[in-house]
């Protein structure tokens, strides 16, 4: 079964003209995946036919970001693991960026920010394989300084900064926090000095599925099953 493409998750809209400056899509692909026995970036989703390998999680994330209106290029933050990324349909530039200061996802975000100064960064962790393009479109259209996806708009703890639009002011705050020794992304979602506007993942399906984070073997099996079911629904709609 063929994994659902960007149109299955949300059709691409026309390119907007934005006075904010360029948007770079950023794939966070540097996780060690210790609980999965290796790098998450090389895990493969189900293929178009039974037994065939599908796209890697990093290719899947690149394809989704490339389908977002306004994204001009893709940066893959792969840390020490490197990544092999296939071409994308729109012919966008796809490049690798070394980690910035700090550790974990923060180092990936700041590495991309240093390689693309003055850009807005539409960040998507590769271990969030169920995020639809329609949600990414809404994040990219936000004029907030930090726009994270969330499973519960009323609970700041549910905001996910690894599926978010980061504007330069938020990136500057993150760099300052890392200089102070705090490598966490999540405190920025509750920073009183930033204009944070979450986007409700529940508008695009079950929020627990939309923002399913693959950390364990059980998470991975669940994600594969959800992708297969979505692919089957998409195939039925296309055939009907």
């Amino acid at each position: 079964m063929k994994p659902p493409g960007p149109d299955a998750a949300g059709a691409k809209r026309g390119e907007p003209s934005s006075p904010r400056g360029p948007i770079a899509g950023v794939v966070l692909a540097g996780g060690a995946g210790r609980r999965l026995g290796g790098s998450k970036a090389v895990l493969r989703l189900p293929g178009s036919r039974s037994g065939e390998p599908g796209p890697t999680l990093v290719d899947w994330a690149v394809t989704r970001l490339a389908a977002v209106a306004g994204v001009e290029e893709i940066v893959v933050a792969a840390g020490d693991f490197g990544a092999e990324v296939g071409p994308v349909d729109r012919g966008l530039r796809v490049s690798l960026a070394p980690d910035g200061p700090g550790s974990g996802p923060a180092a990936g975000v700041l590495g991309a920010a240093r390689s693309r100064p003055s850009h807005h960064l539409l960040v998507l962790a590769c271990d969030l394989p169920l995020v639809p393009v329609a949600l990414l479109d809404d994040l990219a259209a936000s004029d907030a300084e930090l726009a994270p996806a969330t499973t519960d708009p009323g609970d700041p703890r549910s905001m996910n900064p690894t599926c978010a639009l980061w504007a330069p002011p938020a990136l500057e705050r993150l760099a300052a926090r890392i200089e102070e020794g705090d490598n966490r992304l999540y405190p920025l979602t509750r920073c009183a000095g930033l204009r944070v506007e979450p986007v409700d993942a529940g508008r695009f399906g079950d929020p627990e599925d939309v923002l399913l984070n693959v950390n364990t073997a059980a998470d991975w099996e669940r994600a594969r099953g959800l992708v297969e079911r979505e692919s089957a629904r998409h195939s039925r709609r296309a055939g009907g």
Side-chain angles (χ1 to χ4, degrees):
M1 287 177 283
K2 183 179 180 180
D7 287 342
K12 181 175 175 56
R13 298 195 287 268
E15 297 288 346
S17 58
S18 173
R20 300 174 307 175
I23 301 175
V26 176
V27 178
L28 297 180
R34 292 181 181 87
R35 284 179 283 177
L36 284 166
S39 172
K40 299 175 185 179
V42 300
L43 293 174
R44 289 188 177 273
L45 290 163
S48 58
R49 297 180 183 178
S50 178
E52 281 189 353
T56 64
L57 288 186
V58 68
D59 274 332
W60 188 237
V62 166
T63 298
R64 287 181 177 274
L65 286 170
V68 174
V71 169
E72 298 183 0
E73 63 176 310
I74 310 293
V75 177
V76 178
D80 296 331
F81 298 97
E84 293 184 4
V85 183
V88 295
D89 290 341
R90 288 182 57 215
L92 294 184
R93 177 188 180 196
V94 181
S95 58
L96 300 179
D99 277 353
S103 62
V109 172
L110 283 188
R114 285 188 166 187
S115 71
R116 300 297 182 273
S118 302
H119 282 55
H120 283 62
L121 303 184
L122 180 59
V123 173
L124 177 62
C126 73
D127 57 7
L128 297 171
L130 279 300
V131 173
V133 174
L135 171 53
L136 296 171
D137 267 325
D138 278 11
L139 293 173
S142 175
D143 62 359
E145 293 173 329
L146 177 59
T150 180
T151 56
D152 181 357
D155 182 2
R157 295 170 299 179
S158 77
M159 296 180 194
N160 192 330
T162 66
C163 179
L165 182 73
W166 289 75
L171 295 168
E172 292 169 7
R173 287 296 185 97
L174 177 61
R177 292 185 68 90
I178 287 179
E179 284 186 1
E180 296 168 356
D182 188 346
N183 294 310
R184 297 172 298 164
L185 295 179
Y186 287 90
L188 272 296
T189 64
R190 301 187 294 275
C191 180
L194 283 178
R195 185 158 46 86
V196 178
E197 297 178 3
V199 173
D200 184 6
R203 295 193 290 110
F204 306 93
D206 184 332
E208 299 299 330
D209 292 343
V210 171
L211 293 180
L212 172 61
N213 188 194
V214 174
N215 283 315
T216 66
D219 296 334
W220 178 228
E221 287 307 308
R222 182 181 170 207
R224 286 174 56 88
L226 289 167
V227 168
E228 286 181 335
R229 286 197 288 276
E230 175 59 26
S231 175
R233 286 195 293 270
H234 179 57
S235 296
R236 287 196 295 271
R237 289 196 297 268

